[in-house]
Amino acid sequence: MKGFAMLGIGKTGWIEKERPACGPLDAICRPIVLAPCTSDVHTVWEGALGDRHDMILGHETVAEVVEVGSLVKDFKPGDKVIVPAITPDWNSIEAQDGYQMHSGGMLAGWKFSNFKDGVFGEFFHVNDADGNLAILPDGMDPVAACMLADMVPTGFHGVELADIQFGDSVVVVGIGPVGLMAVAGAALRGASHIYAVGSRPNCIQIAKEYGATDIIDYHNGDIAEQVIKKTGGKGVDRVVIAGGNVDTFAQAVTMLKPGGRIGNVNYLGEGEFIKIPRIEWGCGMGHKIIAGGLMPGGRLRMEKLASLMSTGRLDAGKLVTHRFEGFDKIEEALMLMKEKPKDLIKPVVVIKW
Amino acid sequence: MKGFAMLGIGKTGWIEKERPACGPLDAICRPIVLAPCTSDVHTVWEGALGDRHDMILGHETVAEVVEVGSLVKDFKPGDKVIVPAITPDWNSIEAQDGYQMHSGGMLAGWKFSNFKDGVFGEFFHVNDADGNLAILPDGMDPVAACMLADMVPTGFHGVELADIQFGDSVVVVGIGPVGLMAVAGAALRGASHIYAVGSRPNCIQIAKEYGATDIIDYHNGDIAEQVIKKTGGKGVDRVVIAGGNVDTFAQAVTMLKPGGRIGNVNYLGEGEFIKIPRIEWGCGMGHKIIAGGLMPGGRLRMEKLASLMSTGRLDAGKLVTHRFEGFDKIEEALMLMKEKPKDLIKPVVVIKW
Amino acid sequence: MKGFAMLGIGKTGWIEKERPACGPLDAICRPIVLAPCTSDVHTVWEGALGDRHDMILGHETVAEVVEVGSLVKDFKPGDKVIVPAITPDWNSIEAQDGYQMHSGGMLAGWKFSNFKDGVFGEFFHVNDADGNLAILPDGMDPVAACMLADMVPTGFHGVELADIQFGDSVVVVGIGPVGLMAVAGAALRGASHIYAVGSRPNCIQIAKEYGATDIIDYHNGDIAEQVIKKTGGKGVDRVVIAGGNVDTFAQAVTMLKPGGRIGNVNYLGEGEFIKIPRIEWGCGMGHKIIAGGLMPGGRLRMEKLASLMSTGRLDAGKLVTHRFEGFDKIEEALMLMKEKPKDLIKPVVVIKW
Amino acid sequence: MKGFAMLGIGKTGWIEKERPACGPLDAICRPIVLAPCTSDVHTVWEGALGDRHDMILGHETVAEVVEVGSLVKDFKPGDKVIVPAITPDWNSIEAQDGYQMHSGGMLAGWKFSNFKDGVFGEFFHVNDADGNLAILPDGMDPVAACMLADMVPTGFHGVELADIQFGDSVVVVGIGPVGLMAVAGAALRGASHIYAVGSRPNCIQIAKEYGATDIIDYHNGDIAEQVIKKTGGKGVDRVVIAGGNVDTFAQAVTMLKPGGRIGNVNYLGEGEFIKIPRIEWGCGMGHKIIAGGLMPGGRLRMEKLASLMSTGRLDAGKLVTHRFEGFDKIEEALMLMKEKPKDLIKPVVVIKW
């Protein structure tokens, strides 16, 4: 079978591989909709995961089941499914402890395009099909549903990590696709003021549609100062970090009230340390909790988030700004992600077999 | 001063009282908008609190401060304020323990028209003004804001007690004004399917506008059976009880999944016992948590919920179906509440001094 | 192979069955230590689970692995293991939702001597060996360790459901083996006053050793009244129910402060309803949370609780008052459990193959 | 009246001041037992709070009430009381939000020897007596009780921030008096292995008595490496930081499992940044939560922790290694704290008026 792969750091290309084998609990699927992710870009061109050779990329897809293992009960060939980016080993110690995304080791619930071939192949392998696939609901647009693989659960997890409560004021740093889902998630969790940090006009427009009440543009000065000014010196209850870098945390701590929480879902690709400013963190005593975590995956998570789309609470389809047709367009879509033109939020590739 | 009072069980009337005195931490206010509550009806005609003589009724109001005590720092005469139905003693053991509504004893954070004169007077007394009043935000309609005194915090507390998470399926039993706020709160907290139990056309219409996805009418059979059927036999993740009686809990437990939660905010006025069906409760082992509680009051709560209105997340003004002008219309408004015509959700009295 | 079974309601006896088959994820074990449980008595003589024919009893054991499936990674024949009474399907929707004990349906994580043959056989079958077995730590007495299968996790779960905090006053109703573990767990979770409700001298002695500060004997009058009196009218912060019946909840609610929690781990075998007294429950508004649930099982839970024994925080071995030698003594041990002589807390059967 | 004060950075001495005035909610007390705190040392000789002139030091005391304000209900002259180091304004927005220690601003619940005169005077002032004092239980040694003012609640709060669960493995960094209370608190909260980091023989001995299972000495190499080695490469579930400096967090993050929590209660007096190592923190996605906070104070907290001492769960008196008699010995006791001889854990001054 064909797959679009990382050949080595900085290099991509089409390769031939054997179709993956299906264990007793597994499924083999083929993609219907695919989306490249900024992580794929980091993986290839920044070597974020270290070197990988001939590893098929991709971890965002809606797909069709083509084969299932002998112990799979709830899925069969022909089923259309949402496939989460994170596919845990559910019986692992870590999953039993509530941290399925770290099953088998920190971040090791993330398998596609990390420890094994990803979804940019004619076929791909899903471990524990019953535990990790979710039926695409009747009538749901698979293009919008493809955002459930990573963008929605990651953005929403930022909201969960920040533990937003009714009426909280919230800053969302970064309004790329994950940040926009954090804005939508914050609104859907009962935030009042949502200060969205970003500057691209397209993203600002969508951020407002998802519930941002104020836009903070870093071109206008330090974002912490802007937030503090806008809140009359008080700062905000919660900060979700969905963009920036290791230095963003200093701003986040500064703009946060005592008793506040930071929820980070931004993959920090470089820098040795995240630096927490001592004074602003209350000399260690300010109750400004700093949390950061990989999205939870698996079947239930997909079903729950899909239900928000089927009941009209969330329209994740708005994220999709560019649409390609045909399996061979994966390369073009990924390159677009790499170049990141101003009007891009998220590209998808739609496949007809 | 004049006040509209409970004279004894089953009897109401206008009385003359001395204007209340203002302690060092207190405020004296006069109402701008008043709303009668079903509780007032229970108090007078069902004797729900036991006998009370010449007690001024009412606990829902937006008001103007006319006097403050010597230790009050944040309020002054002339301020327009939202007054919560629950005005705790913040330094009590119970408030320190996180249960401000029970400060001084179970339910004793509820003072107006319970332990002391309520707000249906020309003037009324507020304990701990700094801790219990909130400034009416500029430009906010005081009629809508009056719903913040009791309807919004009570309905939203049902959602908090049920601990609704992203994508949860929820039943809201009862779609009077509190139940409607529970529907709005559930949607605003990330529920997917919201099954609203009620039958009055006016309420059904508003329930849908607030986010109900399905209406369950008890005229069509047992509500638990209807919910179980609608959910393919699985039941729901959460139930908020905002209506019904002691028997409603048996239905709630029946329609709930293991691991689910019931949040009750319905004042249970009669019946010796709430009966939990043993088998459906998993013989005591089903992890179906039963919680019920009086709304949290105080200043911060008012500010947080008001911020949801000023940012457009919530339009509580929709609850107001009947509007009276003039202090002397309190009686008429209360009687309307007692008679509960089909198209009534919530009446208010608007006062110009 | 031989097994001691429920032949039908009210009847037990030895039967011959085929040794169970081992699926790819499973293990086949043989018991080293066995303990009968009050549940076995309820199952046989009260028909608590309905009729069962020729079902091997028992769900408390420390065992030796004799065979593992092809996909099992962490266990091998010869390993000595602690086997939890609850062995969930870890990839189920319920386990993903944090309720592993209800995997596949309410209470369905409980399989041994419920949906399949229990551990009172020469061999028994364990689903998902990697997810559900725990290595018996070097040097740990298997007799004491056998208490980890059900008594320790059930008693401790009562403490978790009641959510005991530093300095809380706690009532533990019932001081059979589960209640005694609730006493030990409450002390180990930071409770201050622990009021243990019971009357058998042997149990009272052990309750005090495990941390009970006061003994409440129902022979001396209503237990709620006694507790209220002992606490100067205030009641307690938490109640763990590990004995009694459906009527115990009325007492528990009565003796509980507003904002308190009840954690039930007593299997309620009869009665149509649990009755919650309306007034004492604050007319639905007292924030007295009622929770009840089956113990969590699985590997991590066993490892964590075993670590409390290996570090000397807990000596569960004290529960064992009667000790039998030889597989054929299971019947005698179970009958002892049924007769429940005054000095009995927990019998075990030690087996040498 | 006389008081022992900070005269300026680096300077202390006895001064004369007017006896403080008693507002309507307040109390005036005089100390029975006093303890200097490392914070006093930081305040004076490191200028940790900035410059202060003629500010009476001290915030740890058991005292006698000599005067109460007109609105005080529960205390009267002659009462022996435990006085918490943190005395919040209970009606503040922050206290209403659950963060009483930050009432009025970050850390501003800490008033004694910070924003106002401390307890090292012949008399001192307590704001909100009903909300902030606790009766010394009959028969409780006031010397041991004096540890309830700061040492016990601070150490125990580290345990709360780290959210220790049954069977968790825990590192406690630092075994001065606060760290020792963290060890005791961890054991009392259900930790299994407790790795205590320290080297002074006296402290090691007491740490073991309080429940430490292993001692980690930084003289033997990097503490993170030692912990990782001792745990077979797995790391621990929780870390409580009660000593060290801004660099300690890098070690804490390194030795922590994904899904773990850090609870800091060490006042960080210098350094611009706390540095979180990016890779070990899972590139922002490892679910290693970092929390740090000032102890909660107030009456309920004192009562709850005192109940642990009166029921024998905790013997905080062991911390007291040096005992002085007489008000004029405060200076000597503070200097001892400054010099920190090897055998010192905590000195107290006992006063007879």
Side-chain angles (χ1 to χ4, degrees), chain A residues 156-157 159-160 163-169 185-194 210-213 237 301 304-305 307-308 310-311 313, chain B residues 156-157 159-160 163-169 185-194 210-213 237 301 304-305 307-308 310-311 313:
Chain A
F156 277 43
H157 194 47
V159 170
E160 292 169 327
D163 194 25
I164 292 172
Q165 301 296 324
F166 280 134
D168 277 352
S169 56
L188 200 49
R189 198 82 190 126
S192 57
H193 290 274
I194 300 178
Y210 278 135
T213 55
D237 297 303
R301 182 69 171 180
K304 288 245 173 178
L305 296 180
S307 74
L308 290 173
S310 53
T311 53
R313 309 285 180 209
Chain B
F156 276 43
H157 194 46
V159 170
E160 291 168 328
D163 193 24
I164 291 172
Q165 301 297 322
F166 280 135
D168 277 353
S169 56
L188 201 49
R189 197 82 190 126
S192 56
H193 291 274
I194 300 177
Y210 277 135
T213 54
D237 296 303
R301 182 71 170 177
K304 288 245 174 180
L305 296 179
S307 74
L308 290 173
S310 53
T311 53
R313 309 283 181 212

Side-chain angles (χ1 to χ4, degrees), chain B residues 211-268:
Chain B
T213 54
D214 298 79
I215 303 297
I216 306 286
D217 185 340
Y218 61 88
H219 298 96
N220 298 336
D222 180 81
I223 61 171
E225 278 174 29
Q226 289 186 63
V227 168
I228 287 169
K229 194 171 164 195
K230 281 216 172 208
T231 55
K234 290 189 287 189
V236 292
D237 296 303
R238 301 293 189 259
V239 178
V240 180
I241 300 182
N245 55 36
V246 291
D247 295 330
T248 307
F249 287 76
Q251 295 168 309
V253 166
T254 302
M255 62 177 80
L256 197 63
K257 288 182 196 170
R261 284 181 73 107
I262 294 171
N264 178 67
V265 286
N266 188 29
Y267 186 89
L268 300 166

Side-chain angles (χ1 to χ4, degrees), chain A:
Chain A
M1 67 169 211
K2 261 176 63 175
F4 188 74
M6 172 175 180
L7 307 178
I9 290 181
K11 275 179 281 183
T12 56
W14 290 96
I15 59 171
E16 273 295 323
K17 279 209 170 177
E18 289 209 18
R19 184 182 138 158
C22 189
L25 297 162
D26 308 338
I28 304 300
C29 300
R30 69 175 177 191
I32 296 170
V33 180
L34 286 169
C37 178
T38 313
S39 315
D40 293 308
V41 175
H42 293 321
T43 300
V44 175
W45 287 280
E46 297 172 11
L49 305 174
D51 210 354
R52 294 285 195 278
H53 288 273
D54 295 348
M55 178 182 73
I56 296 176
L57 291 164
H59 50 263
E60 301 186 24
T61 189
V62 166
E64 183 182 340
V65 175
V66 297
E67 183 184 350
V68 297
S70 57
L71 298 174
V72 173
K73 288 173 288 185
D74 298 342
F75 296 89
K76 60 182 187 312
D79 285 345
K80 304 273 196 313
V81 290
I82 306 165
V83 184
I86 308 300
T87 53
D89 299 308
W90 284 103
N91 71 348
S92 64
I93 285 296
E94 293 84 4
Q96 293 189 24
D97 205 18
Y99 292 94
Q100 37 119 314
M101 67 292 284
H102 304 300
S103 68
M106 189 157 59
L107 312 186
W110 176 25
K111 290 171 180 160
F112 291 128
S113 67
N114 183 3
F115 295 129
K116 71 173 188 184
D117 282 325
V119 301
F120 290 175
E122 286 178 273
F123 301 95
F124 62 88
H125 167 271
V126 179
N127 62 299
D128 194 348
D130 282 334
N132 286 322
L133 294 176
I135 291 290
L136 179 73
D138 270 351
M140 184 176 289
D141 175 13
V143 166
C146 187
M147 300 298 102
L148 290 167
D150 187 349
M151 299 299 98
V152 180
T154 298
F156 277 43
H157 194 47
V159 170
E160 292 169 327
L161 289 169
D163 194 25
I164 292 172
Q165 301 296 324
F166 280 134
D168 277 352
S169 56
V170 177
V171 170
V172 176
V173 182
I175 48 175
V178 166
L180 288 169
M181 286 301 94
V183 169
L188 200 49
R189 198 82 190 126
S192 57
H193 290 274
I194 300 178
Y195 303 88
V197 179
S199 62
R200 297 197 299 161
N202 199 10
C203 293
I204 288 175
Q205 174 55 30
I206 305 281
K208 286 179 180 170
E209 289 176 31
Y210 278 135
T213 55
D214 298 78
I215 303 297
I216 306 286
D217 186 339
Y218 61 89
H219 298 95
N220 299 337
D222 181 81
I223 62 170
E225 278 174 30
Q226 290 186 63
V227 168
I228 288 168
K229 193 171 166 196
K230 281 217 172 207
T231 56
K234 289 189 289 189
V236 292
D237 297 303
R238 301 292 190 259
V239 178
V240 180
I241 300 181
N245 54 37
V246 290
D247 294 330
T248 307
F249 288 75
Q251 296 169 309
V253 166
T254 302
M255 62 177 79
L256 196 64
K257 288 182 194 168
R261 284 180 72 107
I262 294 171
N264 177 67
V265 286
N266 188 29
Y267 185 90
L268 301 166
E270 46 188 4
E272 198 174 356
F273 292 105
I274 294 101
K275 292 183 203 148
I276 309 302
R278 183 182 62 87
I279 299 287
E280 290 78 1
W281 204 49
C283 302
M285 304 208 133
H287 287 98
K288 298 184 176 184
I289 293 180
I290 303 168
L294 186 64
M295 63 165 262
R299 176 178 177 170
L300 176 65
R301 182 69 171 180
M302 291 299 104
E303 290 180 354
K304 288 245 173 178
L305 296 180
S307 74
L308 290 173
M309 286 178 60
S310 53
T311 53
R313 309 285 180 209
L314 172 70
D315 176 7
K318 281 187 194 179
L319 296 178
V320 180
T321 51
H322 294 68
R323 184 180 172 123
F324 298 84
E325 306 279 337
F327 183 60
D328 55 348
K329 294 293 174 57
I330 292 170
E331 183 165 11
E332 202 173 330
L334 181 64
M335 290 306 158
L336 189 75
M337 204 75 198
K338 183 177 175 235
E339 285 146 30
K340 227 181 159 184
K342 271 222 153 169
D343 63 340
L344 176 78
I345 299 179
K346 193 82 189 178
V348 297
V349 177
V350 181
I351 304 163
K352 292 215 172 57
W353 295 100

